Amino acid sequence: TIKLAAFNLIQVADRIPMMLRIVACLLPHCKQHEKETDAYLFTTVDIINIIGSQAVSKNLGQSRVFAQLNLNAGKKSTNFRTALDYFEAGISFLQGDYWNDQYELTLSLFEAAATANYSGGRHDQVAIQTNKIFSMARSFEDKFKSYCLYINVLAIGNTEKAMEQLYHLLKSLGEDINPNTINAPMAMVDFSSLKQMLGGARKDVLLQLPPMTDRNKLMAMKLMAMLVLYYHQQLTHLSGYFSCKMIRMSIQHGHCEDTVFALSVFACSTMNFLGDTNEAASLAK
């Protein structure tokens, strides 16, 4: 191509310095031109990745900027394969003791790469990256997204093992639940009780709930939503039990996006098991 031919005319020793100068000229435009930001960003990052991490290995500040730009480009990419390339390039630009010195950026890059690998079915890479996060992340919450990814991968081959991990994580969040103690009659009593509580106009209480702010409860809701999905596939009473538990938690601590999911499952159960189409429709609304 014309671009390649022109590039090849430049002396090899002059190429990286020239590209670094071009990047320096483009960097301000990545922030200033809102409508054109993506075009500037992708152009800049593509040049950065041609330069490569070795060329800037002695410049920690520049390496950090290049890693951040790759993260930004990956997040804006609409193709998981391209996004993964950006995330992995971003990781390559991390220098020094980056898990300590560039913690937030490093965590974000590894999380994003693991997610892109999951989307692409590269589950072995998901395991490698999530295990790195498990060993280096500073808190349970910082590991939480990776826990969820790891469990989703685990569930592909062994749903029971995945659910064991979910119960273990729930216990860490203060929700010590033994599924073996919850039988179908108990689940039905709980379901009927909640249906009565939310019957008629009384369900308006759900519309008045404040947002859930307790971080542990938000994570617990996410884990229970995963259990609802897994148990729904098995057609067991525990799917309904956990949807009830999620709704009760929302009434006590506020609503979140997983409250909507729990209400949807509860509405479907109201129609499928009790035949109450009117109440199910009302809950769905």
Side-chain angles (χ1 to χ4, degrees):
T1 65
I2 295 175
K3 288 182 180 180
L4 181 60
F7 184 76
N8 288 335
L9 290 174
I10 303 170
Q11 294 294 320
V12 174
D14 296 332
R15 290 176 185 175
I16 288 179
M18 181 204 68
M19 287 189 288
L20 285 171
R21 289 195 295 271
I22 292 173
V23 168
C25 293
L26 289 172
L27 279 177
H29 296 284
C30 292
K31 300 177 182 178
Q32 293 178 0
H33 298 269
E34 293 184 3
K35 293 183 180 179
E36 302 172 6
T37 295
D38 289 359
Y40 277 106
L41 175 63
F42 288 124
T43 300
T44 304
V45 174
D46 287 344
I47 296 172
I48 285 170
N49 292 341
I50 293 173
I51 294 170
S53 59
Q54 290 301 313
V56 294
S57 61
K58 296 181 180 180
N59 189 328
L60 295 182
Q62 197 168 48
S63 294
R64 180 180 303 196
V65 170
F66 289 177
Q68 181 67 60
L69 287 169
N70 268 286
L71 176 63
N72 296 347
K75 287 181 175 180
K76 287 179 176 289
S77 178
T78 57
N79 179 287
F80 76 83
R81 179 64 256 183
T82 304
L84 178 59
D85 289 341
Y86 285 128
F87 298 142
E88 290 182 339
I91 290 172
S92 75
F93 279 103
L94 296 172
Q95 304 289 341
D97 187 14
Y98 49 83
W99 272 105
N100 285 318
D101 299 337
Q102 304 170 59
Y103 178 75
E104 295 296 337
L105 174 58
T106 301
L107 178 62
S108 295
L109 278 166
F110 273 85
E111 282 182 343
T115 301
N117 274 313
Y118 177 74
S119 298
R122 299 176 63 188
H123 299 151
D124 55 333
Q125 291 301 309
V126 175
I128 292 172
Q129 285 159 339
T130 54
N131 281 330
K132 186 68 173 179
I133 292 170
F134 297 153
S135 65
M136 300 302 295
R138 295 173 181 172
S139 67
F140 182 95
E141 187 169 356
D142 286 350
K143 300 174 185 180
F144 185 71
K145 290 181 182 178
S146 298
Y147 281 138
C148 293
L149 267 182
Y150 175 75
I151 288 170
N152 279 332
V153 170
L154 194 60
I156 294 172
N158 192 333
T159 304
E160 294 300 322
K161 189 71 174 177
M163 289 193 289
E164 285 179 14
Q165 290 297 315
L166 286 169
Y167 283 113
H168 175 73
L169 294 176
L170 280 168
K171 187 174 182 179
S172 299
L173 294 170
E175 303 293 333
D176 192 359
I177 305 168
N178 182 354
N180 296 321
T181 64
I182 306 163
N183 55 39
M186 287 173 57
M188 181 56 71
V189 168
D190 189 43
F191 183 89
S192 299
S193 173
L194 184 59
K195 179 178 177 295
Q196 184 176 7
M197 181 192 301
L198 300 177
R202 291 190 294 273
K203 65 177 61 62
D204 289 347
V205 67
L206 297 171
L207 302 175
Q208 301 167 6
L209 293 174
M212 186 179 291
T213 57
D214 186 312
R215 301 300 300 171
N216 282 356
K217 297 302 180 186
L218 285 164
M219 289 186 283
M221 287 284 286
K222 186 69 66 179
L223 297 177
M224 286 191 286
M226 294 171 72
L227 281 172
V228 169
L229 281 174
Y230 295 150
Y231 280 126
H232 182 72
Q233 293 171 358
Q234 298 177 357
L235 301 176
T236 77
H237 61 278
L238 287 167
S239 176
Y241 171 82
F242 277 104
S243 67
C244 290
K245 187 171 181 64
M246 290 171 71
I247 294 170
R248 292 184 188 278
M249 185 175 288
S250 298
I251 292 172
Q252 185 176 358
H253 297 280
H255 70 82
C256 63
E257 61 180 17
D258 291 302
T259 305
V260 179
F261 171 69
L263 282 167
S264 300
V265 174
F266 187 78
C268 289
S269 298
T270 299
M271 181 175 64
N272 294 335
F273 298 118
L274 302 180
D276 193 339
T277 55
N278 291 333
E279 190 64 20
S282 181
L283 283 164
K285 291 179 181 179

